[in-house]
């Protein structure tokens, strides 16, 4: 009896995910991945200079590096990658399920950043850095139409990818509803909103808050807007202006601090 097509497709997707690896590059990204006990490390390619700089992290990881001539650095990276003589092949991190990660830590009021079709790895990397700085318990995107773990994302995150949970879920609206059921206030960033973030969070700072950010240009999709509790904006000094999504996320996280 033949398996249904949907079963075959699911098995193929699971198999592809199991085989997926990521090449991280750059001294900061590689060092932090080497020192992360939760990161499955497969292959390390370094120059002698980079090996010396990463000696402590390499020793901690237990991985045996492959030394390369800096003029013939043969890691499978984009030629434009600023690798600084270090490249590490790893498995993507598994942070677990949304409800577990976004439950937060005892004594801390949770903050979450949700990304609606933000596909630029540099923006997502920068958002991860801001999320770590301001204590967010997760950054959440979707499995499709959002930036996956890549070397470029990790390099921009400057180590935050190893410490800051980055979840990719099947459906953003469903994730928003799940957080609402957990007691979250869901705020969508929209430049045309009437209310500012500061006004919306007043009286709610002791409540879990999710900040939903859209891609630059298109912004939030209609379904995403409809799923928010409120649409809010960043208050610009002269009543107009715009920020890229990573800067907007940093400002929003600061404005929504518990």
């Amino acid at each position: 009896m033949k398996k249904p097509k949907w079963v075959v497709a699911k098995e193929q997707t699971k198999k592809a995910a199991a085989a997926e690896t990521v090449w991280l590059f750059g001294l900061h990204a590689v060092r932090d991945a080497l020192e992360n006990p939760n990161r499955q490390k497969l292959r390390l390619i370094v120059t002698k200079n980079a090996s010396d700089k990463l000696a402590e992290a390499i020793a901690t990881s237990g991985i045996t590096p492959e030394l390369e001539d800096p003029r013939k650095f043969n890691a499978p990276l984009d030629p434009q990658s600023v690798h600084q003589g270090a490249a590490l092949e790893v498995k993507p991190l598994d942070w677990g399920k949304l409800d577990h990660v976004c439950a937060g830590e005892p004594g801390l009021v949770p903050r979450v950043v949700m990304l609606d079709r933000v596909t630029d790895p540099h923006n997502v990397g920068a958002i991860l850095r801001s999320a770590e700085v301001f204590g967010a318990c997760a950054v959440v995107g979707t499995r499709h139409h959002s930036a996956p773990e890549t070397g470029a994302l990790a390099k921009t995150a400057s180590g935050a990818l190893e410490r800051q949970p980055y979840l990719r879920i099947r459906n953003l609206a469903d994730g928003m509803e799940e957080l609402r059921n957990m007691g979250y206030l869901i705020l969508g960033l929209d430049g045309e909103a009437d209310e500012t973030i500061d006004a919306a969070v007043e009286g709610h700072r002791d409540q879990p808050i999710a900040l939903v950010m859209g891609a630059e240009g298109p912004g939030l999709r209609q379904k995403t807007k409809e799923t928010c509790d409120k649409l809010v904006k960043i208050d610009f000094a002269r009543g107009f202006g715009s920020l890229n999504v990573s800067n907007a996320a940093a400002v929003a996280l600061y404005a929504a601090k518990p």
Side-chain angles (χ1 to χ4, degrees):
M1 182 177 176
K2 291 182 68 175
K3 294 179 182 179
K5 289 183 178 179
W6 69 269
V7 173
V8 174
K10 188 174 182 179
E11 289 177 348
Q12 289 174 338
T13 300
K14 189 174 181 181
K15 187 176 180 181
E20 182 183 358
T21 66
V22 180
W23 277 95
L24 307 180
F25 57 85
L27 293 173
H28 283 299
V30 169
R31 177 183 287 110
D32 286 309
L34 287 171
E35 293 176 344
N36 182 0
N38 297 318
R39 176 70 87 172
Q40 187 176 349
K41 298 164 270 287
L42 305 175
R43 187 181 173 197
L44 174 63
I45 300 176
V46 287
T47 61
K48 176 64 169 62
N49 185 43
S51 178
D52 291 343
K53 292 179 178 178
L54 296 171
E56 190 174 334
I58 292 171
T60 299
S61 72
I63 195 170
T64 301
E66 302 172 32
L67 286 178
E68 281 280 357
D69 186 317
R71 294 163 297 181
K72 302 176 183 177
F73 197 74
N74 289 323
L77 304 174
D78 185 298
Q80 306 303 315
S81 300
V82 184
H83 54 72
Q84 299 173 293
L88 177 66
E89 185 182 19
V90 297
K91 288 283 191 179
L93 287 166
D94 180 7
W95 288 100
K97 295 191 175 181
L98 184 74
D99 59 348
H100 173 73
V101 176
C102 296
E105 300 176 23
L108 297 177
V109 183
R111 295 292 183 263
V112 170
V113 178
M114 305 191 84
L115 304 178
D116 187 11
R117 298 198 175 199
V118 179
T119 58
D120 186 329
H122 299 94
N123 275 331
V124 176
I127 290 168
L128 286 168
R129 290 184 72 177
S130 295
E132 182 179 34
V133 168
F134 292 110
C137 56
V139 175
V140 182
T142 52
R143 291 177 194 160
H144 303 290
H145 309 296
S146 71
E149 281 192 37
T150 62
L153 187 154
K155 194 167 193 306
T156 308
S158 194
L161 179 62
E162 305 301 320
R163 300 178 295 270
Q164 175 63 48
Y166 177 42
L167 308 183
R168 295 172 69 213
I169 59 177
R170 187 183 63 81
N171 184 283
L172 193 70
D174 289 349
M176 293 164 69
E177 290 289 2
E178 187 173 355
L179 291 185
R180 180 180 288 111
N181 292 334
M182 292 169 61
Y184 273 78
L185 176 67
I186 314 294
L187 302 179
L189 273 288
D190 185 343
E192 297 181 0
D194 295 323
E195 193 170 5
T196 65
I197 298 175
D198 302 76
V201 301
E202 202 57 45
H204 297 279
R205 292 188 184 274
D206 59 350
Q207 180 180 351
I209 293 176
L211 300 164
V212 190
M213 321 288 298
E216 293 172 43
L220 299 176
R221 289 173 292 163
Q222 188 59 35
K223 173 67 173 175
T224 306
K225 289 183 180 181
E226 293 169 358
T227 312
C228 293
D229 292 315
K230 288 183 179 181
L231 296 179
V232 296
K233 65 181 179 181
I234 293 170
D235 194 18
F236 293 110
R238 293 179 174 81
F240 64 90
S242 65
L243 294 170
N244 74 19
V245 65
S246 60
N247 288 334
V251 172
L253 282 165
Y254 181 80
K257 284 194 307 180

